[in-house]
Amino acid sequence: MKSLKRPYIASQQLNIKQKEVKGKLTRFDGEPVYCIENYDYMDPFFMSITSSSDLWMFISSAGSLTAGRQNFNNALFP
């Protein structure tokens, strides 16, 4: 886990505690799911998802999403 530079307000340094990111299997509505605790402390990441057909998707942990068929001219979320 990275150490963050602590910000200041005037001359007082803020004491911000960094939480540990942990993942575990749990159940939700009787279904097994993977839960990530303190996900908001994770470093940003980017995923490129492809399929065996002509579908594609790009997802960012910062909230960006785009998907489509064949090429960028056929994007569902341009």
Side-chain angles (χ1 to χ4, degrees):
M1 192 172 347
K2 276 191 214 177
S3 68
L4 300 174
K5 293 181 181 177
R6 294 190 300 169
Y8 284 82
I9 294 182
S11 62
Q12 183 66 37
Q13 191 172 32
L14 293 178
N15 188 13
I16 299 173
K17 294 184 180 179
Q18 182 74 5
K19 295 181 181 178
E20 183 180 2
V21 177
K22 292 189 270 185
K24 66 179 179 179
L25 285 174
T26 187
R27 295 188 94 59
F28 181 76
D29 285 342
E31 296 290 324
V33 296
Y34 192 76
C35 176
I36 302 173
E37 297 176 9
N38 302 314
Y39 63 88
D40 48 335
Y41 287 89
M42 292 174 64
D43 288 334
F45 60 89
F46 183 79
M47 292 188 328
S48 175
I49 302 170
T50 59
S51 72
S52 60
S53 64
D54 61 355
L55 300 173
W56 51 266
M57 179 181 291
F58 297 108
I59 302 172
S60 163
S61 64
S64 301
L65 164 72
T66 188
R69 297 183 72 99
Q70 296 173 341
N71 58 42
F72 67 91
N73 291 321
N74 297 319
L76 298 173
F77 312 109

Short mmCIF file of all heavy atoms in Angstrom, two decimals, residues 17-71:
data_model
loop_
_atom_site.label_atom_id
_atom_site.label_comp_id
_atom_site.label_asym_id
_atom_site.label_seq_id
_atom_site.Cartn_x
_atom_site.Cartn_y
_atom_site.Cartn_z
N LYS A 17 -5.95 8.50 8.16
CA LYS A 17 -5.57 7.09 8.26
C LYS A 17 -5.87 6.38 6.96
O LYS A 17 -6.95 6.50 6.40
CB LYS A 17 -6.32 6.43 9.40
CG LYS A 17 -5.92 6.96 10.75
CD LYS A 17 -6.60 6.22 11.85
CE LYS A 17 -6.15 6.80 13.18
NZ LYS A 17 -6.79 6.14 14.30
N GLN A 18 -4.89 5.64 6.45
CA GLN A 18 -5.04 4.84 5.24
C GLN A 18 -5.62 3.49 5.65
O GLN A 18 -5.10 2.83 6.54
CB GLN A 18 -3.68 4.66 4.55
CG GLN A 18 -3.73 3.90 3.28
CD GLN A 18 -4.33 4.70 2.13
OE1 GLN A 18 -4.64 5.86 2.26
NE2 GLN A 18 -4.51 4.05 1.02
N LYS A 19 -6.71 3.07 5.03
CA LYS A 19 -7.34 1.80 5.35
C LYS A 19 -6.81 0.71 4.43
O LYS A 19 -6.45 0.96 3.28
CB LYS A 19 -8.85 1.91 5.21
CG LYS A 19 -9.45 2.87 6.21
CD LYS A 19 -10.95 2.93 6.06
CE LYS A 19 -11.53 3.91 7.04
NZ LYS A 19 -12.99 4.03 6.89
N GLU A 20 -6.79 -0.51 4.92
CA GLU A 20 -6.30 -1.64 4.15
C GLU A 20 -7.39 -2.15 3.21
O GLU A 20 -8.54 -2.31 3.61
CB GLU A 20 -5.88 -2.77 5.09
CG GLU A 20 -5.31 -3.96 4.38
CD GLU A 20 -4.91 -5.07 5.33
OE1 GLU A 20 -5.11 -4.94 6.54
OE2 GLU A 20 -4.39 -6.07 4.83
N VAL A 21 -7.03 -2.39 1.97
CA VAL A 21 -7.95 -2.95 0.99
C VAL A 21 -7.88 -4.47 1.11
O VAL A 21 -6.81 -5.05 1.04
CB VAL A 21 -7.57 -2.51 -0.44
CG1 VAL A 21 -8.50 -3.16 -1.46
CG2 VAL A 21 -7.61 -1.00 -0.56
N LYS A 22 -9.06 -5.10 1.32
CA LYS A 22 -9.12 -6.55 1.49
C LYS A 22 -10.26 -7.11 0.66
O LYS A 22 -11.30 -6.47 0.51
CB LYS A 22 -9.37 -6.93 2.95
CG LYS A 22 -8.24 -6.61 3.90
CD LYS A 22 -8.50 -7.21 5.25
CE LYS A 22 -9.27 -6.21 6.11
NZ LYS A 22 -9.45 -6.66 7.49
N GLY A 23 -10.07 -8.29 0.13
CA GLY A 23 -11.12 -8.98 -0.61
C GLY A 23 -11.46 -10.30 0.04
O GLY A 23 -10.60 -10.94 0.64
N LYS A 24 -12.74 -10.68 -0.05
CA LYS A 24 -13.15 -11.97 0.52
C LYS A 24 -14.42 -12.44 -0.16
O LYS A 24 -15.19 -11.65 -0.71
CB LYS A 24 -13.37 -11.85 2.02
CG LYS A 24 -14.53 -10.94 2.39
CD LYS A 24 -14.73 -10.86 3.89
CE LYS A 24 -15.89 -9.92 4.20
NZ LYS A 24 -16.15 -9.82 5.61
N LEU A 25 -14.62 -13.75 -0.15
CA LEU A 25 -15.87 -14.33 -0.63
C LEU A 25 -16.92 -14.22 0.46
O LEU A 25 -16.64 -14.45 1.63
CB LEU A 25 -15.68 -15.79 -1.01
CG LEU A 25 -14.92 -16.05 -2.30
CD1 LEU A 25 -14.66 -17.54 -2.47
CD2 LEU A 25 -15.70 -15.51 -3.49
N THR A 26 -18.14 -13.83 0.07
CA THR A 26 -19.24 -13.71 1.01
C THR A 26 -20.52 -14.06 0.27
O THR A 26 -20.48 -14.50 -0.87
CB THR A 26 -19.30 -12.30 1.63
OG1 THR A 26 -20.26 -12.26 2.66
CG2 THR A 26 -19.58 -11.24 0.60
N ARG A 27 -21.67 -13.90 0.92
CA ARG A 27 -22.95 -14.20 0.28
C ARG A 27 -23.82 -12.94 0.28
O ARG A 27 -23.82 -12.19 1.23
CB ARG A 27 -23.66 -15.33 1.00
CG ARG A 27 -22.89 -16.64 0.89
CD ARG A 27 -23.66 -17.81 1.43
NE ARG A 27 -24.43 -18.60 0.53
CZ ARG A 27 -24.01 -19.26 -0.53
NH1 ARG A 27 -22.76 -19.18 -0.86
NH2 ARG A 27 -24.80 -19.98 -1.27
N PHE A 28 -24.55 -12.74 -0.83
CA PHE A 28 -25.48 -11.63 -0.96
C PHE A 28 -26.77 -12.20 -1.54
O PHE A 28 -26.74 -12.79 -2.63
CB PHE A 28 -24.90 -10.54 -1.88
CG PHE A 28 -25.79 -9.35 -2.04
CD1 PHE A 28 -25.89 -8.42 -1.03
CD2 PHE A 28 -26.52 -9.17 -3.19
CE1 PHE A 28 -26.71 -7.32 -1.16
CE2 PHE A 28 -27.34 -8.08 -3.34
CZ PHE A 28 -27.44 -7.14 -2.31
N ASP A 29 -27.88 -12.07 -0.82
CA ASP A 29 -29.16 -12.67 -1.24
C ASP A 29 -29.00 -14.16 -1.54
O ASP A 29 -29.56 -14.68 -2.51
CB ASP A 29 -29.75 -11.95 -2.45
CG ASP A 29 -30.36 -10.60 -2.09
OD1 ASP A 29 -30.63 -10.36 -0.90
OD2 ASP A 29 -30.57 -9.80 -3.02
N GLY A 30 -28.18 -14.83 -0.74
CA GLY A 30 -27.98 -16.26 -0.90
C GLY A 30 -27.02 -16.67 -2.00
O GLY A 30 -26.73 -17.84 -2.18
N GLU A 31 -26.49 -15.69 -2.75
CA GLU A 31 -25.56 -15.98 -3.85
C GLU A 31 -24.13 -15.68 -3.41
O GLU A 31 -23.88 -14.68 -2.73
CB GLU A 31 -25.89 -15.11 -5.07
CG GLU A 31 -27.24 -15.39 -5.68
CD GLU A 31 -27.28 -16.75 -6.37
OE1 GLU A 31 -26.27 -17.16 -6.97
OE2 GLU A 31 -28.35 -17.38 -6.31
N PRO A 32 -23.15 -16.51 -3.82
CA PRO A 32 -21.76 -16.21 -3.50
C PRO A 32 -21.27 -15.02 -4.34
O PRO A 32 -21.50 -14.96 -5.55
CB PRO A 32 -21.01 -17.48 -3.87
CG PRO A 32 -21.89 -18.17 -4.84
CD PRO A 32 -23.30 -17.77 -4.54
N VAL A 33 -20.64 -14.06 -3.69
CA VAL A 33 -20.08 -12.88 -4.36
C VAL A 33 -18.71 -12.58 -3.76
O VAL A 33 -18.37 -13.05 -2.68
CB VAL A 33 -20.99 -11.62 -4.22
CG1 VAL A 33 -22.31 -11.84 -4.91
CG2 VAL A 33 -21.20 -11.26 -2.77
N TYR A 34 -17.92 -11.80 -4.49
CA TYR A 34 -16.60 -11.37 -4.00
C TYR A 34 -16.74 -9.93 -3.53
O TYR A 34 -17.17 -9.07 -4.28
CB TYR A 34 -15.54 -11.48 -5.10
CG TYR A 34 -14.14 -11.33 -4.58
CD1 TYR A 34 -13.52 -12.36 -3.90
CD2 TYR A 34 -13.45 -10.14 -4.75
CE1 TYR A 34 -12.23 -12.22 -3.41
CE2 TYR A 34 -12.17 -9.99 -4.27
CZ TYR A 34 -11.57 -11.03 -3.60
OH TYR A 34 -10.30 -10.88 -3.12
N CYS A 35 -16.39 -9.66 -2.30
CA CYS A 35 -16.53 -8.34 -1.69
C CYS A 35 -15.14 -7.72 -1.49
O CYS A 35 -14.24 -8.37 -0.97
CB CYS A 35 -17.24 -8.47 -0.34
SG CYS A 35 -17.38 -6.92 0.56
N ILE A 36 -14.97 -6.47 -1.92
CA ILE A 36 -13.72 -5.74 -1.72
C ILE A 36 -13.97 -4.64 -0.70
O ILE A 36 -14.73 -3.71 -0.96
CB ILE A 36 -13.19 -5.14 -3.04
CG1 ILE A 36 -12.97 -6.23 -4.07
CG2 ILE A 36 -11.89 -4.37 -2.79
CD1 ILE A 36 -12.60 -5.73 -5.44
N GLU A 37 -13.36 -4.77 0.47
CA GLU A 37 -13.51 -3.77 1.52
C GLU A 37 -12.55 -2.61 1.26
O GLU A 37 -11.42 -2.81 0.84
CB GLU A 37 -13.20 -4.38 2.89
CG GLU A 37 -14.17 -5.48 3.28
CD GLU A 37 -13.79 -6.13 4.60
OE1 GLU A 37 -12.89 -5.63 5.31
OE2 GLU A 37 -14.40 -7.15 4.91
N ASN A 38 -13.01 -1.40 1.52
CA ASN A 38 -12.21 -0.18 1.36
C ASN A 38 -11.72 0.00 -0.08
O ASN A 38 -10.61 0.44 -0.32
CB ASN A 38 -11.04 -0.16 2.34
CG ASN A 38 -11.50 -0.27 3.77
OD1 ASN A 38 -12.43 0.41 4.17
ND2 ASN A 38 -10.87 -1.13 4.54
N TYR A 39 -12.59 -0.33 -1.05
CA TYR A 39 -12.24 -0.21 -2.47
C TYR A 39 -11.87 1.22 -2.85
O TYR A 39 -11.13 1.44 -3.79
CB TYR A 39 -13.39 -0.69 -3.35
CG TYR A 39 -14.64 0.13 -3.18
CD1 TYR A 39 -14.85 1.26 -3.94
CD2 TYR A 39 -15.60 -0.23 -2.23
CE1 TYR A 39 -15.99 2.04 -3.77
CE2 TYR A 39 -16.73 0.53 -2.07
CZ TYR A 39 -16.92 1.67 -2.83
OH TYR A 39 -18.04 2.43 -2.65
N ASP A 40 -12.39 2.20 -2.10
CA ASP A 40 -12.10 3.60 -2.42
C ASP A 40 -10.66 4.00 -2.10
O ASP A 40 -10.23 5.09 -2.43
CB ASP A 40 -13.09 4.53 -1.73
CG ASP A 40 -13.30 4.24 -0.26
OD1 ASP A 40 -13.09 3.09 0.17
OD2 ASP A 40 -13.67 5.16 0.48
N TYR A 41 -9.90 3.09 -1.49
CA TYR A 41 -8.48 3.34 -1.21
C TYR A 41 -7.57 2.66 -2.23
O TYR A 41 -6.36 2.73 -2.14
CB TYR A 41 -8.11 2.89 0.20
CG TYR A 41 -8.67 3.80 1.26
CD1 TYR A 41 -9.92 3.60 1.81
CD2 TYR A 41 -7.94 4.90 1.70
CE1 TYR A 41 -10.43 4.44 2.76
CE2 TYR A 41 -8.44 5.76 2.65
CZ TYR A 41 -9.70 5.53 3.18
OH TYR A 41 -10.20 6.37 4.12
N MET A 42 -8.15 1.98 -3.23
CA MET A 42 -7.36 1.31 -4.26
C MET A 42 -6.79 2.32 -5.24
O MET A 42 -7.39 3.37 -5.48
CB MET A 42 -8.22 0.31 -5.04
CG MET A 42 -8.67 -0.87 -4.25
SD MET A 42 -9.83 -1.93 -5.16
CE MET A 42 -8.82 -2.49 -6.49
N ASP A 43 -5.65 2.00 -5.82
CA ASP A 43 -5.10 2.81 -6.90
C ASP A 43 -6.02 2.68 -8.11
O ASP A 43 -6.63 1.63 -8.33
CB ASP A 43 -3.70 2.34 -7.29
CG ASP A 43 -2.65 2.66 -6.25
OD1 ASP A 43 -2.85 3.64 -5.50
OD2 ASP A 43 -1.65 1.94 -6.20
N PRO A 44 -6.14 3.73 -8.93
CA PRO A 44 -6.98 3.64 -10.13
C PRO A 44 -6.46 2.56 -11.08
O PRO A 44 -5.27 2.29 -11.14
CB PRO A 44 -6.84 5.02 -10.77
CG PRO A 44 -6.33 5.91 -9.71
CD PRO A 44 -5.55 5.05 -8.77
N PHE A 45 -7.39 1.92 -11.81
CA PHE A 45 -6.98 0.91 -12.78
C PHE A 45 -7.88 0.99 -14.01
O PHE A 45 -8.94 1.60 -13.99
CB PHE A 45 -7.01 -0.50 -12.18
CG PHE A 45 -8.36 -0.93 -11.67
CD1 PHE A 45 -9.27 -1.56 -12.51
CD2 PHE A 45 -8.73 -0.70 -10.35
CE1 PHE A 45 -10.50 -1.96 -12.06
CE2 PHE A 45 -9.97 -1.11 -9.88
CZ PHE A 45 -10.86 -1.73 -10.73
N PHE A 46 -7.44 0.38 -15.09
CA PHE A 46 -8.12 0.39 -16.38
C PHE A 46 -8.20 -1.04 -16.90
O PHE A 46 -7.22 -1.78 -16.81
CB PHE A 46 -7.33 1.27 -17.36
CG PHE A 46 -7.97 1.42 -18.70
CD1 PHE A 46 -9.03 2.28 -18.89
CD2 PHE A 46 -7.49 0.71 -19.78
CE1 PHE A 46 -9.61 2.42 -20.13
CE2 PHE A 46 -8.06 0.84 -21.03
CZ PHE A 46 -9.12 1.70 -21.21
N MET A 47 -9.37 -1.45 -17.41
CA MET A 47 -9.52 -2.79 -17.95
C MET A 47 -10.03 -2.72 -19.38
O MET A 47 -10.90 -1.91 -19.69
CB MET A 47 -10.52 -3.61 -17.12
CG MET A 47 -10.03 -3.92 -15.75
SD MET A 47 -11.04 -5.07 -14.78
CE MET A 47 -12.69 -4.81 -15.29
N SER A 48 -9.49 -3.55 -20.22
CA SER A 48 -9.93 -3.69 -21.61
C SER A 48 -10.49 -5.10 -21.73
O SER A 48 -9.79 -6.08 -21.49
CB SER A 48 -8.73 -3.51 -22.54
OG SER A 48 -9.11 -3.76 -23.85
N ILE A 49 -11.78 -5.20 -22.08
CA ILE A 49 -12.45 -6.49 -22.14
C ILE A 49 -12.86 -6.76 -23.59
O ILE A 49 -13.50 -5.93 -24.22
CB ILE A 49 -13.68 -6.51 -21.21
CG1 ILE A 49 -13.25 -6.20 -19.78
CG2 ILE A 49 -14.40 -7.84 -21.30
CD1 ILE A 49 -14.37 -5.96 -18.82
N THR A 50 -12.47 -7.91 -24.08
CA THR A 50 -12.83 -8.30 -25.45
C THR A 50 -13.58 -9.63 -25.41
O THR A 50 -13.61 -10.31 -24.38
CB THR A 50 -11.58 -8.45 -26.33
OG1 THR A 50 -10.73 -9.44 -25.75
CG2 THR A 50 -10.84 -7.14 -26.44
N SER A 51 -14.19 -9.97 -26.51
CA SER A 51 -14.91 -11.23 -26.60
C SER A 51 -14.50 -11.97 -27.87
O SER A 51 -13.79 -11.42 -28.71
CB SER A 51 -16.42 -10.98 -26.60
OG SER A 51 -16.81 -10.40 -27.83
N SER A 52 -14.98 -13.19 -28.00
CA SER A 52 -14.66 -13.97 -29.20
C SER A 52 -15.46 -13.47 -30.40
O SER A 52 -15.16 -13.83 -31.53
CB SER A 52 -14.92 -15.45 -28.96
OG SER A 52 -16.29 -15.64 -28.64
N SER A 53 -16.47 -12.65 -30.17
CA SER A 53 -17.21 -12.04 -31.28
C SER A 53 -16.68 -10.62 -31.48
O SER A 53 -15.54 -10.34 -31.16
CB SER A 53 -18.71 -12.04 -30.99
OG SER A 53 -19.00 -11.23 -29.88
N ASP A 54 -17.48 -9.72 -31.98
CA ASP A 54 -17.00 -8.37 -32.27
C ASP A 54 -17.36 -7.35 -31.17
O ASP A 54 -17.44 -6.17 -31.41
CB ASP A 54 -17.54 -7.89 -33.62
CG ASP A 54 -19.06 -7.84 -33.66
OD1 ASP A 54 -19.71 -8.25 -32.68
OD2 ASP A 54 -19.60 -7.39 -34.68
N LEU A 55 -17.60 -7.81 -29.94
CA LEU A 55 -17.93 -6.93 -28.82
C LEU A 55 -16.66 -6.53 -28.07
O LEU A 55 -15.73 -7.32 -27.93
CB LEU A 55 -18.89 -7.62 -27.87
CG LEU A 55 -20.23 -8.05 -28.45
CD1 LEU A 55 -21.01 -8.86 -27.44
CD2 LEU A 55 -21.02 -6.84 -28.92
N TRP A 56 -16.63 -5.29 -27.55
CA TRP A 56 -15.50 -4.81 -26.76
C TRP A 56 -16.00 -3.85 -25.68
O TRP A 56 -17.10 -3.31 -25.76
CB TRP A 56 -14.45 -4.12 -27.64
CG TRP A 56 -15.03 -3.07 -28.52
CD1 TRP A 56 -15.44 -3.24 -29.82
CD2 TRP A 56 -15.29 -1.70 -28.21
NE1 TRP A 56 -15.93 -2.06 -30.33
CE2 TRP A 56 -15.85 -1.10 -29.35
CE3 TRP A 56 -15.11 -0.92 -27.09
CZ2 TRP A 56 -16.23 0.24 -29.38
CZ3 TRP A 56 -15.48 0.41 -27.11
CH2 TRP A 56 -16.02 0.97 -28.25
N MET A 57 -15.18 -3.64 -24.66
CA MET A 57 -15.54 -2.75 -23.57
C MET A 57 -14.26 -2.24 -22.91
O MET A 57 -13.28 -2.96 -22.77
CB MET A 57 -16.38 -3.50 -22.54
CG MET A 57 -16.80 -2.68 -21.34
SD MET A 57 -17.76 -3.63 -20.15
CE MET A 57 -19.26 -3.90 -21.06
N PHE A 58 -14.26 -0.96 -22.52
CA PHE A 58 -13.18 -0.36 -21.74
C PHE A 58 -13.80 0.18 -20.46
O PHE A 58 -14.80 0.90 -20.51
CB PHE A 58 -12.49 0.78 -22.50
CG PHE A 58 -11.81 0.35 -23.75
CD1 PHE A 58 -12.33 0.67 -25.00
CD2 PHE A 58 -10.64 -0.39 -23.70
CE1 PHE A 58 -11.70 0.28 -26.16
CE2 PHE A 58 -10.01 -0.79 -24.86
CZ PHE A 58 -10.54 -0.46 -26.09
N ILE A 59 -13.21 -0.16 -19.32
CA ILE A 59 -13.74 0.26 -18.02
C ILE A 59 -12.61 0.84 -17.19
O ILE A 59 -11.51 0.29 -17.14
CB ILE A 59 -14.34 -0.94 -17.26
CG1 ILE A 59 -15.45 -1.59 -18.08
CG2 ILE A 59 -14.87 -0.52 -15.91
CD1 ILE A 59 -15.96 -2.88 -17.50
N SER A 60 -12.89 1.95 -16.50
CA SER A 60 -11.93 2.58 -15.60
C SER A 60 -12.51 2.57 -14.19
O SER A 60 -13.72 2.77 -14.01
CB SER A 60 -11.68 4.02 -16.04
OG SER A 60 -11.08 4.75 -15.01
N SER A 61 -11.68 2.36 -13.19
CA SER A 61 -12.16 2.40 -11.81
C SER A 61 -12.55 3.81 -11.40
O SER A 61 -13.22 4.00 -10.39
CB SER A 61 -11.08 1.87 -10.87
OG SER A 61 -9.94 2.72 -10.91
N ALA A 62 -12.19 4.81 -12.19
CA ALA A 62 -12.57 6.19 -11.91
C ALA A 62 -13.98 6.49 -12.42
O ALA A 62 -14.46 7.61 -12.29
CB ALA A 62 -11.57 7.15 -12.52
N GLY A 63 -14.65 5.51 -13.03
CA GLY A 63 -16.03 5.68 -13.44
C GLY A 63 -16.28 5.73 -14.93
O GLY A 63 -17.42 5.79 -15.35
N SER A 64 -15.25 5.70 -15.73
CA SER A 64 -15.45 5.75 -17.18
C SER A 64 -15.84 4.39 -17.72
O SER A 64 -15.39 3.36 -17.23
CB SER A 64 -14.17 6.22 -17.87
OG SER A 64 -13.81 7.48 -17.39
N LEU A 65 -16.68 4.40 -18.77
CA LEU A 65 -17.13 3.17 -19.39
C LEU A 65 -17.45 3.44 -20.84
O LEU A 65 -18.05 4.46 -21.17
CB LEU A 65 -18.40 2.66 -18.69
CG LEU A 65 -19.23 1.61 -19.40
CD1 LEU A 65 -18.52 0.27 -19.39
CD2 LEU A 65 -20.59 1.49 -18.77
N THR A 66 -17.03 2.55 -21.71
CA THR A 66 -17.46 2.57 -23.11
C THR A 66 -17.49 1.14 -23.61
O THR A 66 -16.76 0.28 -23.12
CB THR A 66 -16.57 3.46 -24.00
OG1 THR A 66 -17.17 3.56 -25.29
CG2 THR A 66 -15.16 2.91 -24.13
N ALA A 67 -18.39 0.88 -24.53
CA ALA A 67 -18.54 -0.46 -25.10
C ALA A 67 -19.08 -0.32 -26.51
O ALA A 67 -19.62 0.72 -26.87
CB ALA A 67 -19.49 -1.29 -24.25
N GLY A 68 -18.93 -1.37 -27.29
CA GLY A 68 -19.45 -1.31 -28.65
C GLY A 68 -19.24 -2.60 -29.41
O GLY A 68 -18.87 -3.61 -28.85
N ARG A 69 -19.47 -2.49 -30.71
CA ARG A 69 -19.29 -3.61 -31.64
C ARG A 69 -18.34 -3.16 -32.74
O ARG A 69 -18.41 -2.03 -33.19
CB ARG A 69 -20.61 -4.01 -32.26
CG ARG A 69 -21.62 -4.52 -31.26
CD ARG A 69 -22.88 -4.96 -31.97
NE ARG A 69 -22.65 -6.20 -32.71
CZ ARG A 69 -22.99 -7.39 -32.27
NH1 ARG A 69 -23.55 -7.52 -31.11
NH2 ARG A 69 -22.73 -8.45 -32.99
N GLN A 70 -17.49 -4.01 -33.16
CA GLN A 70 -16.56 -3.84 -34.28
C GLN A 70 -15.53 -2.74 -34.04
O GLN A 70 -14.38 -3.02 -33.81
CB GLN A 70 -17.31 -3.60 -35.58
CG GLN A 70 -18.15 -4.76 -36.01
CD GLN A 70 -19.00 -4.44 -37.21
OE1 GLN A 70 -19.24 -3.29 -37.53
NE2 GLN A 70 -19.47 -5.48 -37.86
N ASN A 71 -15.92 -1.44 -34.12
CA ASN A 71 -14.94 -0.36 -33.98
C ASN A 71 -15.56 0.84 -33.26
O ASN A 71 -16.73 0.80 -32.87
CB ASN A 71 -14.39 0.05 -35.36
CG ASN A 71 -15.49 0.51 -36.30
OD1 ASN A 71 -16.40 1.22 -35.90
ND2 ASN A 71 -15.41 0.08 -37.55
#
